[in-house]
Each structure stands twice: as structure tokens, then as C-alpha cells.
Amino acid sequence: MMHTHAHPAARRATRTALPVLGTALALALAGCAPAASHDNGAGEGDPKTVTLAVHSSFPNEEFAKAASAATGYEVSVIAAGDGGELTNKLVLTKGAPIADAFFGVDTIFASRLVANEVVEPYRPAGLAESFEDLAILPEESSGAADSSVPFALTPVDQGATCINIDPAWFAEQGLTEPQSYDDLTKPEYRDLTVLLDPTASSTGASFLVGTVAKFGEDGFADYWQALMDNGARIEQGWSDAYNGQFTQGGGEGTKPIVVSYGSSPAFTVSEDGAATTSKALLDTCSNQVEYAGVLAGAANPEGAQAVVDYLVSSEFQATIPDTMYMYPVTSDVELPETWARFAPVPSETQLNDLPSADIEAGREGWLKTLSEQIGL
């Protein structure tokens, strides 16, 4: 029997999981010690208020309550569109920022903020090494990973975009399950794959980055051409691809291969919790990290720092799997049992990643190349 859990991308589209989110944040809030008030006379605005700009699928009201209680500031949250729209608004309002801090710019767009000097470097104190590994440093930094170097962007959560398959479908057809990028171009897997348009979907853009990392700038377009020649279908968004086309998407889908997330198998678990009906191919994954930071010119920079501190706190990190449907950056959080069993995190050797600066430098050119070669 199919699962009834809300899938992370479904949340991003509809926010139907907010009741769960409220519960999780309420629990986090209950665990927070009352915070001391901050003496932040440096801000030009109200020293007791701070504004966080986020992408449109963030739990605004629940977070504002929890962060206000934890920081001692009156925290307000404003949505600014999806990750790409949020990035553009932050760049366009440089010098007169729409908020004091932001959260939700991911790997695909992160370097745009740094290159345009939108952020004020800040490093929360006492972070574990896992944060340092994913942090983005200022351009003028030597890259040295020492505690004196502030972060341009602070990592808050992470996930992975991966090819997902329906193992039962392949067993019924007597076909060996595909294992790799290259397998998807083989004749036996013709007309079975659903991709996402990288010009319209951040998940699709993440898959594109993975193919550039795997095949290089001289080879990725030929790989996409081979996928199209082998009958791959391209959808505009995740819901159309996963729910509409994938055989384990809960609908009438007929395609057993789809671009989705490494955590997706945790949302296709049987009612008794004993098994999952989908599987992520971990050698086809690329990492997605979501970042927070302090905006240059913030009216309340100390308040902004306090909100970033809360985003990386143990209390908030513990809510991420159940509320944000991403993996926390800290390794101290115990993952839900279904995640631990059915949604393992890809290893570093399995990931197909590029530095954020390389993504910023290459993204528009890669999309232009795909447009010219396969007609996106």
C-alpha cells in the first residue's frame, strides 16, 4: 500500500504539512531556554525587531514565534518567492535591503549573493566542523578554514537531488535496475525516465549541475541529448514529474525512473513501516545546501545575527527533518527512523557537485547550451 506521508516537494508546492511543522516547532520552542535580551543599539531601525526574508515555502508564522522566544527579538518573516526569486530580490535591493537577514538561498544561487556583495560576513560561534565544511567564505578570503574567518553564507540544512526508481516495476518486467547516469541512456531503459526542466525547477537545475560535474562542460549536453534520444520526458515541475508521471508517485504514472530527492524513499514507506517502494540511486546525487546570512546595510545587524544563530541552534536543527524535509547540518540530530532506514545520505564520493562559484559562472551558459542543443 502506498504511503500517506507528505513529500518534501509537495510541501514546497502546497505547504500542506504546516500542522506537523507547528507541532515540531512548538516542541522546539518548549525546549528553548528564555533568551536574554540583546543590547543592539547599533541598528538604525527598531532595536527590538528583526526581519527575515525567506523563500515562499518557509513556515513563516511558526518560525517567527519560536525565533522571537529564543532570541528575545520580535522576529517577523517575509516571503519573497522561490529560491531564485528570493535571490534576485536580495540582489536588486542591495543597499536598501528588504530585511535584516535571509534564509533559503541554495547552492544554485548562493554565489550570486557573494559576488554582488549583498551579505555582511558573520560566523556564528561554536559551530561544529560540519558547518565549516559547507559554509561559503567571502571572496577575499584565502579559503583557510580557521575560526577567525567569517562566513559569507552560513549553511542551515542540506539535501540531495537524485534519480529515483521503482524497484518492483523492474522486477515485474524482468529488467535489471539501472544504477548510474549512463544506464539511463541504454536501449533497455528507453521511454522510462522523467526529468525536470532546469530552466523552471531548482531541482532540475540541481540535476543539471550533477551532470556537468559528472560529464564536464564539454560532455554534459551530449549526455542530455542521449537521454532525449532514449525517450526521456521533461516536466516543468517536481509535482508534475513525481506525482504525475512516476509509478510510485501515488497517481497514474507509468514511468519508473524520475528525478527527485535522496529523502524521497522515506515517503513511500508501507503502512507497517517495513519497506519502501522506491529507491534513490546514490551515485546520481548532487547536494543542495540552503544558506542563511546577514544582509549588508541591515537596520538591525545584531538582531540579524541572533536569528542566524537560532537557525543553526540545536533546537531549530532538530526540527528540520520533520518540518523542512531536509537533513540538518549538525550531526547531533537523530533522524526519523524511516529516514535512517530508507533515505541514507550519499557519501562524498557518490555526490556529483561543483563549487558554488563555478555554478554561478557557468549556469547561464549551460542553460543556453541545452536550449540550443535539445530545445529547452
Side-chain angles (χ1 to χ4, degrees):
M1 183 177 295
M2 280 296 300
H3 67 103
T4 57
H5 304 290
H7 190 281
R11 172 191 64 85
R12 289 177 181 276
T14 65
R15 299 185 62 184
T16 53
L18 278 178
V20 178
L21 172 64
T23 301
L25 277 182
L27 290 172
L29 180 57
C32 292
S37 296
H38 291 68
D39 179 11
N40 60 348
E44 296 177 355
D46 184 343
K48 294 305 298 177
T49 67
V50 58
T51 302
L52 177 71
V54 299
H55 54 54
S56 55
S57 56
F58 191 75
N60 298 10
E61 294 182 6
E62 292 84 356
F63 179 85
K65 292 177 183 176
S68 295
T71 65
Y73 289 92
E74 182 178 342
V75 178
S76 63
V77 181
I78 58 172
D82 63 24
E85 291 171 326
L86 170 62
T87 303
N88 288 337
K89 287 180 180 178
L90 296 180
V91 171
L92 291 172
T93 58
K94 173 188 173 184
I98 59 175
D100 299 297
F102 70 92
F103 165 72
V105 174
D106 70 12
T107 307
I108 302 298
F109 298 106
S111 280
R112 183 176 295 178
L113 297 186
V114 180
N116 285 280
E117 300 179 336
V118 173
V119 296
E120 185 69 34
Y122 172 65
R123 184 189 188 108
L127 291 181
E129 185 175 343
S130 56
F131 287 91
E132 297 179 355
D133 293 341
L134 297 174
I136 294 180
L137 303 179
E139 286 189 329
E140 65 272 18
S141 169
S142 64
D146 66 66
S147 59
S148 66
V149 178
F151 299 156
L153 303 178
T154 298
V156 173
D157 60 36
Q158 59 181 324
T161 299
C162 310
I163 290 290
N164 277 224
I165 66 169
D166 176 355
W169 187 94
F170 288 98
E172 291 171 359
Q173 301 300 318
L175 271 176
T176 302
E177 297 174 9
Q179 301 292 329
S180 66
Y181 283 116
D182 286 316
D183 283 348
L184 306 187
T185 67
K186 294 178 178 178
E188 56 266 42
Y189 303 113
R190 182 173 181 80
D191 296 334
L192 302 183
T193 301
V194 184
L195 308 175
L196 301 175
D197 185 344
T199 68
S201 162
S202 61
T203 307
S206 180
F207 179 74
L208 167 62
V209 169
T211 62
V212 176
K214 176 66 176 180
F215 299 100
E217 291 195 294
D218 295 331
F220 81 95
D222 288 340
Y223 175 69
W224 278 72
Q225 184 67 63
L227 288 172
M228 300 307 295
D229 290 344
N230 205 38
R233 178 187 180 101
I234 295 182
E235 294 287 349
Q236 292 298 297
W238 179 89
S239 293
D240 291 336
Y242 194 92
N243 294 331
Q245 299 295 331
F246 186 43
T247 47
Q248 288 298 323
E252 302 297 324
T254 60
K255 308 287 188 183
I257 304 172
V258 67
V259 172
S260 192
Y261 302 95
S263 59
S264 295
F267 296 86
T268 58
V269 176
S270 58
E271 292 292 343
D272 63 3
T276 182
T277 59
S278 66
K279 176 181 179 181
L281 305 184
L282 298 186
D283 286 329
T284 67
C285 297
S286 54
N287 214 16
Q288 276 188 303
V289 180
E290 290 190 312
Y291 293 94
V294 176
L295 291 167
N300 188 349
E302 292 189 10
Q305 293 175 4
V307 170
V308 174
D309 288 347
Y310 178 65
L311 286 165
V312 298
S313 69
S314 297
E315 288 83 0
F316 183 74
Q317 290 282 302
T319 72
I320 288 174
D322 283 333
T323 61
M324 303 293 289
Y325 303 101
M326 298 282 277
Y327 296 93
V329 174
T330 180
S331 59
D332 296 335
V333 172
E334 183 176 353
L335 293 174
E337 183 179 354
T338 53
W339 287 51
R341 291 185 63 189
F342 304 121
V345 178
S347 68
E348 289 188 11
T349 59
Q350 290 174 310
L351 288 168
N352 301 277
D353 288 340
L354 293 173
S356 58
D358 291 359
I359 296 172
E360 177 64 18
R363 183 181 55 246
E364 296 305 320
W366 303 333
L367 293 175
K368 180 180 179 183
T369 297
L370 283 187
S371 175
E372 294 172 346
Q373 183 151 339
I374 68 172
L376 283 179

